[in-house]
Structure formats: C-alpha cells, structure tokens
Amino acid sequence: MKWSELKRASDTILAVWPHYRPLHERWFMQELVDKGELAPIWRERLVPGDNDAVFADHYPDRDAAIAAASALNPVLQAALSNRAMDPVAKRSLQLKVDKALQAKQRFQDEEALMLAEALRRHADDEQPSADALKLAPEAERYRADLAEQLAAMPYLKVAKVGRSNNRWAHYLLFLGHDGIWSKPYLAGEKAAHTAERAKIANGFGLSTTMHWGKAKARIRQILLPRANQLLQLASVQRLLAEALARGERVLVSNGIVFWYEADGGIGWQVKETSSTREAEGATV
C-alpha cells in the first residue's frame, strides 16, 4: 500500500484523539473526518512515511499521544475557522467537533477515575507471592508475569500475559473457582480488551463477561455515595488540575460531575447529573 494511492489522503481532517489498544500496548491516534452533509466519523489515523509508505499513527504512552493531539488539534481548528463556507454551517460543524472531542476525553477520564478507585479499594489486599500461585502446567512460563500484575492488582481474575516487544504472543489466563489459573488462551483484540477492562471490573467485584456499558453503570452507582472522597485521590486531583489548566471548569463522567467553583475559594466539588443512561449522555 502506498500513501499516494490512498483516497483518504485528500480527506479533510477535523480533529484527532488517541485511544489505547491493549493488544499492542500502545496508543493509536484516531481522526475525525469531515463527511460533508453527513455527520463526521472517527477512524484510525494513517500517516505517510519514507518512500511513499503508510504507517499507523501510534505512540508508546498516553502522555506522548495526548501531546501530539494537543499540538495538532489547534492547527485543524484554525483550518476549519479559515474555511470558506456558510457561517451557520461552519459554526454547526465546529460544535460537532467540540462535542466529539469532549466525548472522547470524557470516556477516558471516567475510566481513569474508575481504575484509580479500584486500585484504592484493594491497596491493602494481601499480595500473593509468585511461588504460591497455582497454575495450569501450560501457564507455568508466565508465573513471574502474572505475579507482577497481581502485586499491583491482587483482585484480578483475568490477566493478559506476554509482551508485545519480544517474540511472545499475548495470552489470557483466567482464575478458576478452584483458585487455579487456567492454561493460556491466545488473545486477539477483543480478548485483550477483556483483560484491560478486568483491571476495573474485577476491582468492583464485577465479571468481565458483563456488558461493559452495564458494568460501568453499576460502578457509577457504587462510586456516587463516596464521590466527594474521590477528590482526595492524587490521580483524580491530577485529572482535575489538567482540566483546569485547559480552561475547563466542568469534568463530566456520566453519573458524576466535577464542577469548579471559583467564587469564595470553593474549588472543585461534586455534583450529580440528571441522567446516567449511556444513550442519553450526561447534562448538568
């Protein structure tokens, strides 16, 4: 495949935002494409390389990916502002772009909050030693890898083992009712996402086979009674500080709204939205 042969090379890009692909353990950029009279759509971003080659736009960590998106988005926004088109249509498109970016960031911020709380809830759990782990014979080679993950997340019942930067393939291990970790199952994209979501779901006693939207709705119900305590978490404070640095005074995570009140030195406080249904989104 050559870059000059791709039809997408002439498409108008409105914005970019990264997402994590656990199978590859990297952050891949997505781009919001202008579709004319139709609504813009997100797709995986490809970039040209040497000798007319085509590469996926990816990054080793979230900070690098966010930095790249933060550098490119103002350029894309300026291009849209300077485009010769009907002012009403232009404003409508700008609002769609803003909404699309907010939805992407809201999704990531919410899951970061949930992961932080899952880790906090199990911070004092006993960490199983590598030697004490019960493994199926076929999983023995992954004992050290599994033990390392359980040291950070002792509540895990599903774990992705193997590394993408060597010759190992990725596999999933499942903790059985008998306390024995299963034989390795080869992991594709879907299975890798299952293991990644287990880092959150298992921390709240939920199964990874549960519909992810329903699982997150349940977690919101669990979190809300102690939502104000979330403000004390260092990881949450970092997210809120980053939002404030961007000039944002509202951070919405569906059932929870973090609201910055400048008057009176109140600062960040927690409010509840009128709806927590996935299909409706969240409004203050």
Side-chain angles (χ1 to χ4, degrees):
M1 182 184 298
K2 296 182 178 180
W3 178 259
S4 59
E5 298 173 349
L6 288 180
K7 294 181 179 179
R8 66 162 57 198
S10 60
D11 288 344
T12 300
I13 308 305
L14 301 170
V16 297
W17 193 257
H19 72 115
Y20 185 63
R21 292 176 63 180
L23 182 64
H24 304 278
E25 298 181 349
R26 298 183 72 83
W27 288 80
F28 285 73
M29 197 70 77
Q30 291 184 322
E31 57 188 14
L32 187 64
V33 185
D34 188 1
K35 301 299 288 184
E37 296 182 358
L38 301 176
I41 62 169
W42 288 102
R43 72 182 181 193
E44 296 296 317
R45 179 171 172 80
L46 300 179
V47 294
D50 294 337
N51 300 319
D52 206 24
V54 180
F55 295 95
D57 189 11
H58 60 84
Y59 302 83
D61 54 63
R62 184 177 187 271
D63 288 344
I66 294 295
S70 298
L72 181 54
N73 277 330
V75 177
L76 298 174
Q77 292 168 1
L80 177 56
S81 296
N82 296 329
R83 189 191 303 183
M85 60 183 297
D86 177 72
V88 174
K90 179 187 294 187
R91 182 55 182 160
S92 175
L93 185 56
Q94 289 172 327
L95 290 173
K96 290 178 182 178
V97 173
D98 290 344
K99 183 177 181 180
L101 282 173
Q102 290 170 8
K104 286 286 187 182
Q105 186 169 352
R106 183 184 304 161
F107 179 87
Q108 289 182 7
D109 288 347
E110 178 184 56
E111 294 197 350
L113 289 172
M114 291 179 174
L115 177 59
E117 172 60 8
L119 292 170
R120 186 204 68 81
R121 286 173 170 244
H122 297 273
D124 296 327
D125 287 5
E126 182 179 355
Q127 299 176 0
S129 66
D131 293 339
L133 294 176
K134 298 179 180 179
L135 302 173
E138 300 92 332
E140 185 60 42
R141 63 178 296 186
Y142 300 113
R143 179 179 293 273
D145 190 351
L146 178 61
E148 181 181 346
Q149 294 185 52
L150 292 176
M153 303 177 187
Y155 55 83
L156 281 181
K157 291 179 170 48
V158 180
K160 177 172 66 69
V161 293
R163 291 288 182 265
S164 60
N165 58 356
N166 58 31
R167 295 183 179 181
W168 293 5
H170 281 296
Y171 293 90
L172 257 58
L173 302 180
F174 298 88
L175 181 62
H177 295 296
D178 54 3
I180 300 176
W181 287 88
S182 71
K183 68 178 184 180
Y185 292 90
L186 186 63
E189 288 276 3
K190 185 176 180 179
H193 275 289
T194 296
E196 191 68 19
R197 290 168 176 174
K199 297 176 182 179
I200 296 175
N202 290 167
F204 293 90
L206 301 177
S207 171
T208 52
T209 61
M210 186 178 184
H211 182 276
W212 187 232
K214 293 181 179 179
K216 292 208 294 184
R218 175 59 185 143
I219 294 172
R220 293 183 201 110
Q221 294 174 354
I222 295 172
L223 288 181
L224 197 56
R226 63 172 304 276
N228 282 299
Q229 296 179 36
L230 291 175
L231 292 173
Q232 306 305 316
L233 291 175
S235 56
V236 175
Q237 292 177 359
R238 177 181 59 81
L239 287 173
L240 296 177
E242 291 176 354
L244 192 59
R246 294 191 298 266
E248 300 170 2
R249 300 192 175 218
V250 181
L251 180 62
V252 185
S253 293
N254 289 303
I256 301 175
V257 177
F258 295 94
W259 183 284
Y260 187 81
E261 190 69 50
D263 295 338
I266 296 175
W268 287 101
Q269 57 182 315
V270 174
K271 295 184 181 288
E272 184 177 357
T273 62
S274 59
S275 171
T276 58
R277 288 171 53 188
E278 288 283 336
E280 294 178 2
T283 56
V284 180

